[in-house]
């Protein structure tokens, strides 16, 4: 029991996994605060061709590179597998485009530290001020997506696709992303349910910069995600 | 013999011979291909067979019956191929993942030359260092404007 309490006591055993595809211009400023906060940082370069990998070489982080582009889900899984092999007690997912605030990591991590949950998911809709910051069309899109997720996975959340999540070692070992693209955000819900993992949602803020909006999901992509999920259900 | 019969028969024969000489395959595939080719040869040589089949199934013309069966088997083939692509994809991901993990760069391995642009970014972050401060003593994050009191 005491040993259990000791686990994760050090910041180094908290691994932040940052999947990055062509993020050379922002990866440095995204990752630097995480290093400064003392986390172990794993940047997974998903086959970028814009110098992202060269930038990673100059940062004191774990760097993994997919020789070819596979998709965000695959990159996260690579990072998680690696983090677990390095003895991670907690694994945090953190987008590379700078849309998350580093401070929010502590917020999503808290329920795990308190033993209330095995998986903690960030949500931009739990707090009025951060919800109001979401552009109107995205709000509609994400609202629709939460219901689609609910139909497909049986888990109803307030935010359908938030890249900031925290998992305990146990949860990270159990959850295996088989969706290589963006559909992993729905897949994780499905696996939370099938592995009966306790989960929590915590309020986080998404910073909408011109860059992150340009990189974000479009409505069309949403349809693709649903399609991928249905196919996976078909071809399991 | 009509011209079309000659053309189709040649295609069936060449296709089957090519398949058996060039492509490696499982026994079940061979049986399937052979049956398919035989059925093709019979139907082309004796078109009345398809008419007989059609009447037995309650379809108007023999050609229609053949088209229906073609549609079903083609869709099935498409699905099979799709499933195959997906499983190949999963294997590819496993391969790429193991390559990535084998060649992991550790935090200690740094390249000496840091471009000036990044140095500037670094300096900016040092100025904003308090913004990313760790949780305060009570374990709660200092920055929680969204938590309602009580």
């Amino acid at each position: 029991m005491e040993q259990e309490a000791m686990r994760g006591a050090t910041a180094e055993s908290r691994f932040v996994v940052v999947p990055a595809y062509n993020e050379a211009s922002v990866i440095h400023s995204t990752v630097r605060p995480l290093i400064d906060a003392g986390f172990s940082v794993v940047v997974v370069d998903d086959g970028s061709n814009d110098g992202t990998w060269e930038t990673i070489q100059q940062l004191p982080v774990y760097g993994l590179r997919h020789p070819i582009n596979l998709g965000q889900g695959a990159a996260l899984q690579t990072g998680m597998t690696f983090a677990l092999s390095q003895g991670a007690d907690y694994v945090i997912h953190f987008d590379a485009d700078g849309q998350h605030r580093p401070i929010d990591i502590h917020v999503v991590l808290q329920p795990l530290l308190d033993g209330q949950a095995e998986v903690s998911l960030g949500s931009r809709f739990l707090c009025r001020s951060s919800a109001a910051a979401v552009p109107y069309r995205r709000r509609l899109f994400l609202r629709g997506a939460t219901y689609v997720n609910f139909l497909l996975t049986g888990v109803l959340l307030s935010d359908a696709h938030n890249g900031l999540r925290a998992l305990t070692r146990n949860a990270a070992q159990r959850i295996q992303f088989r969706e290589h693209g963006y559909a992993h955000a729905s897949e994780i819900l499905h696996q939370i349910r099938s592995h009966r993992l306790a989960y929590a949602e915590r309020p986080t803020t998404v910073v909408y910069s011109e860059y992150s909006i340009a990189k974000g999901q479009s409505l069309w992509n949403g349809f693709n995600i649903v399609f991928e999920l249905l196919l996976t259900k078909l071809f399991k | 013999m009509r011209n079309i019969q000659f053309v189709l028969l040649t295609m069936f024969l060449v296709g089957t011979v090519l398949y058996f000489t060039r492509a490696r395959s499982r026994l079940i595939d061979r049986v399937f291909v052979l049956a398919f080719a035989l059925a093709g040869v019979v139907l082309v040589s004796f078109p009345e067979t398809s008419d007989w089949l059609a009447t037995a199934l309650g379809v108007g013309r023999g050609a229609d019956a053949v088209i229906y069966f073609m549609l079903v088997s083609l869709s099935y083939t498409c699905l099979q191929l799709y499933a195959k692509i997906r499983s190949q994809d999963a294997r590819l991901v496993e391969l790429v993942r193991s390559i990535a993990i084998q060649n992991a760069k550790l935090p200690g391995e740094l390249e000496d030359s840091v471009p000036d642009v990044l140095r500037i970014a670094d300096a900016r972050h040092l100025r904003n260092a308090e913004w990313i401060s760790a949780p305060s003593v009570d374990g709660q994050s200092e920055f929680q404007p969204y938590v309602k009191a009580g």
Side-chain angles (χ1 to χ4, degrees):
Chain A
M1 211 44 206
E2 198 177 323
Q3 206 180 1
E4 197 63 20
M6 286 296 289
R7 283 174 78 85
T10 58
E12 299 88 70
S13 72
R14 299 170 186 177
F15 277 66
V16 183
V17 175
V18 185
Y21 178 55
N22 288 345
E23 309 273 12
S25 59
V26 292
I27 189 70
H28 190 272
S29 56
T30 300
V31 164
R32 194 74 235 179
L34 306 177
I35 302 167
D36 295 341
F39 293 110
S40 293
V41 181
V42 181
V43 183
V44 185
D45 174 10
D46 191 17
S48 303
N49 48 24
D50 70 337
T52 299
W53 182 238
E54 285 68 28
T55 311
I56 297 170
Q57 298 301 312
Q58 293 146 2
L59 291 163
V61 295
Y62 293 99
L64 303 171
R65 178 168 164 83
H66 287 167
I68 51 174
N69 178 245
L70 297 178
Q72 199 182 36
L76 278 172
Q77 184 59 54
T78 300
M80 279 206 289
T81 306
F82 180 76
L84 289 172
S85 78
Q86 299 296 309
D89 289 322
Y90 297 96
V91 176
I92 295 120
H93 297 171
F94 198 90
D95 284 351
D97 60 6
Q99 63 165 283
H100 304 306
R101 298 182 313 175
I103 186 97
D104 284 338
I105 290 179
H106 303 297
V107 178
V108 289
L109 209 48
Q110 203 56 50
L112 311 190
L113 298 174
D114 294 344
Q116 293 170 351
E118 296 261 16
V119 183
S120 173
L121 305 144
S123 169
R124 71 203 90 170
F125 295 112
L126 285 183
C127 138
R128 198 163 289 172
S129 68
S130 70
V134 182
Y136 180 68
R137 284 180 61 184
R138 288 202 65 74
R139 217 180 313 167
L140 273 186
F141 167 65
L142 286 162
R143 172 59 56 85
T146 56
Y147 295 130
V148 173
N149 272 347
F150 176 64
L151 286 176
L152 290 170
T153 67
V155 178
L156 184 60
L157 294 177
S158 60
D159 194 349
H161 199 128
N162 196 305
L164 183 52
R165 319 179 183 98
L167 296 83
T168 60
R169 182 176 180 82
N170 175 44
Q173 279 167 335
R174 294 215 187 169
I175 289 175
Q176 294 279 332
F177 285 141
R178 278 178 296 122
E179 294 289 354
H180 308 316
Y182 287 111
H184 69 270
S186 307
E187 192 187 18
I188 196 171
L189 305 183
H190 175 71
Q191 296 206 15
I192 283 171
R193 204 175 146 89
S194 60
H195 294 301
R196 297 165 193 275
L197 297 166
Y199 65 93
E201 267 194 304
R202 283 295 178 272
T204 62
T205 296
V206 170
V207 182
Y208 283 95
S209 64
E210 231 168 81
Y211 181 84
S212 71
I213 287 179
K215 276 235 156 190
Q217 299 290 303
S218 65
L219 187 61
W220 177 240
N221 250 326
F223 283 121
N224 281 339
I225 290 173
V226 172
F227 191 62
E228 272 174 46
L229 285 170
L230 289 175
L231 283 174
T232 305
K233 279 206 184 285
L234 228 75
F235 287 99
K236 211 181 282 183
Chain B
M1 188 182 262
R2 291 184 198 160
N3 287 339
I4 183 70
Q5 284 181 302
F6 180 72
V7 172
L8 287 174
L9 280 178
T10 319
M11 281 167 70
F12 274 127
L13 282 175
V14 171
T16 315
V17 168
L18 273 181
Y19 180 82
F20 276 94
T21 51
R22 296 283 170 82
R24 286 184 298 160
S25 64
R26 294 176 301 166
L27 181 65
I28 183 79
D29 291 338
R30 290 172 176 239
V31 170
F32 192 75
V33 168
L34 204 61
F36 186 78
L38 275 179
V41 169
V42 169
L43 283 176
V44 172
S45 313
F46 312 103
E48 314 81 49
T49 345
S50 71
D51 280 330
W52 172 82
L53 189 71
T55 345
L57 292 169
V59 184
R61 288 188 313 164
D64 289 344
V66 171
I67 286 175
Y68 297 152
F69 280 114
M70 283 295 271
L71 272 177
V72 172
S73 61
L74 277 179
S75 333
Y76 176 75
T77 313
C78 274
L79 284 177
Q80 274 255 301
L81 280 175
Y82 192 75
K84 180 102 186 162
I85 290 173
R86 281 184 74 93
S87 76
Q88 295 245 338
D89 228 34
R91 280 150 42 122
L92 180 69
V93 167
E94 284 306 314
L95 178 66
V96 169
R97 179 163 298 143
S98 67
I99 291 174
I101 289 177
Q102 265 173 28
N103 299 316
K105 173 197 101 72
L106 302 177
E109 300 166 15
L110 286 180
E111 237 172 51
D112 293 336
S113 60
V114 178
D116 285 344
V117 194
L118 299 183
R119 286 225 179 81
I120 293 165
D122 252 355
R124 201 171 55 228
H125 270 293
L126 286 177
R127 265 212 312 281
N128 296 341
E130 62 273 18
W131 185 66
I132 45 139
S133 57
S136 54
V137 200
D138 59 358
Q140 291 291 314
S141 176
E142 290 159 5
F143 191 86
Q144 282 188 317
Y146 25 71
V147 173
K148 285 190 195 119

